[in-house]
Amino acid sequence: MDIVVKGRKTEVPERFRKHVAEKLNLEKIQKLDGKVISLDVEVSKEHNPRQADRSDRVEITLHSRGPVIRAEAAAADAYAALDLAHDKLEARLRKQHDKRFTRRGAGRLSAAEVPDVVPGAAQFNGSGELVVEEGENVPTTMMGSIEVQGEGPLVVREKTHSAAPMSLDQALYEMELVGHDFYLFVDSDTKQPSVVYRRHAYDYGVIHLESDPLAEGGGAGGALGG
């Protein structure tokens, strides 16, 4: 199994690369998931002084013959961020390992069995808008049709994934594995593009997207906070 360490708009010191190799215990990881193929560790840095306490972000992505597992964290330095991300990754690996051996053949996972244990997750208000910490005299600029608060920069990440149809319960399970508040999937019953998302505590919502050839303009889907 390979560990690939890379920096996004920042240099990664050799000392940190060695620390990653020591921190991510490959033998322990392979005991929890014997199908692991590779580990990607991405380091990025936020240069906004208002975010000095979480300026360094580390994202760990585990690729295997099973589901992709991702964990990320931000802290005042890359070493602290790596520790936090590592703890999240290990917790998710253990959860997957325990489910594999204690729930084999059950095939269903209820929402009540999926605890909300992701610290530092993005927060949304009742309108589905991202909640941003208020600051004094925060400048606002327009990037095309998007309003950006603060110094930016505006980072747009575009990803394309191939997706096999799955049930709603499986989509909930996959969402918890990657540690996100939402998960895009193709519903195996309706064959529609759908999004499952976390609302409050153990409540979840699901949005199905149906194409309307007669519709003109307007937005698509609905707010995740509804």
Side-chain angles (χ1 to χ4, degrees):
M1 179 174 65
D2 298 325
I3 298 179
V4 178
V5 182
K6 58 185 177 181
R8 180 157 58 90
K9 297 182 180 180
T10 187
E11 293 292 331
V12 180
E14 186 61 31
R15 186 166 70 95
F16 183 78
R17 294 179 185 272
K18 293 180 179 179
H19 182 69
V20 169
E22 295 172 356
K23 184 69 178 179
L24 300 181
N25 189 319
L26 298 183
E27 182 178 351
K28 187 175 183 180
I29 290 174
Q30 289 177 319
K31 285 182 178 180
L32 294 173
D33 188 344
K35 298 180 180 180
V36 177
I37 299 173
S38 65
L39 274 172
D40 291 341
V41 179
E42 183 178 90
V43 184
S44 59
K45 191 171 186 66
E46 171 60 60
H47 298 285
N48 189 339
R50 296 188 183 91
Q51 300 182 6
D53 60 333
R54 45 193 175 93
S55 61
D56 289 78
R57 177 173 295 275
V58 173
E59 179 179 301
I60 306 174
T61 304
L62 183 150
H63 299 276
S64 74
R65 289 187 289 275
V68 173
I69 301 179
R70 182 176 294 105
E72 59 181 315
D77 62 76
Y79 292 89
L82 176 65
D83 289 344
L84 294 173
H86 169 267
D87 291 345
K88 289 182 182 180
L89 179 71
E90 185 172 313
R92 287 165 190 162
L93 278 172
R94 289 189 180 280
K95 179 178 178 180
Q96 182 191 40
H97 179 270
D98 293 343
K99 181 179 184 296
R100 184 184 302 120
F101 287 97
T102 62
R103 296 183 57 86
R104 180 173 293 172
R108 293 184 63 85
L109 180 67
S110 67
E113 294 175 298
V114 184
D116 185 7
V117 294
V118 184
Q123 298 182 3
F124 296 85
N125 60 23
S127 300
E129 298 172 338
L130 182 65
V131 177
V132 182
E133 296 181 359
E134 295 184 357
E136 297 181 358
N137 300 321
V138 178
T140 300
T141 56
M142 295 298 296
M143 303 290 291
S145 60
I146 302 176
E147 183 180 277
V148 181
Q149 293 185 336
E151 298 178 0
L154 176 65
V155 179
V156 178
R157 300 180 67 183
E158 180 178 346
K159 295 183 179 180
T160 301
H161 298 277
S162 58
M166 65 178 65
S167 66
L168 176 58
D169 287 339
Q170 182 63 27
L172 281 170
Y173 175 57
E174 298 284 351
M175 181 181 71
E176 292 300 329
L177 281 184
V178 297
H180 289 174
D181 286 330
F182 66 92
Y183 189 82
L184 177 64
F185 69 105
V186 177
D187 193 295
S188 57
D189 293 328
T190 66
K191 302 300 185 292
Q192 294 174 329
S194 305
V195 174
V196 63
Y197 61 95
R198 183 183 293 109
R199 296 181 72 250
H200 310 287
Y202 300 120
D203 292 339
Y204 296 83
V206 61
I207 296 173
H208 300 290
L209 187 63
E210 183 175 22
S211 176
D212 184 355
L214 300 179
E216 296 182 2
L224 292 184

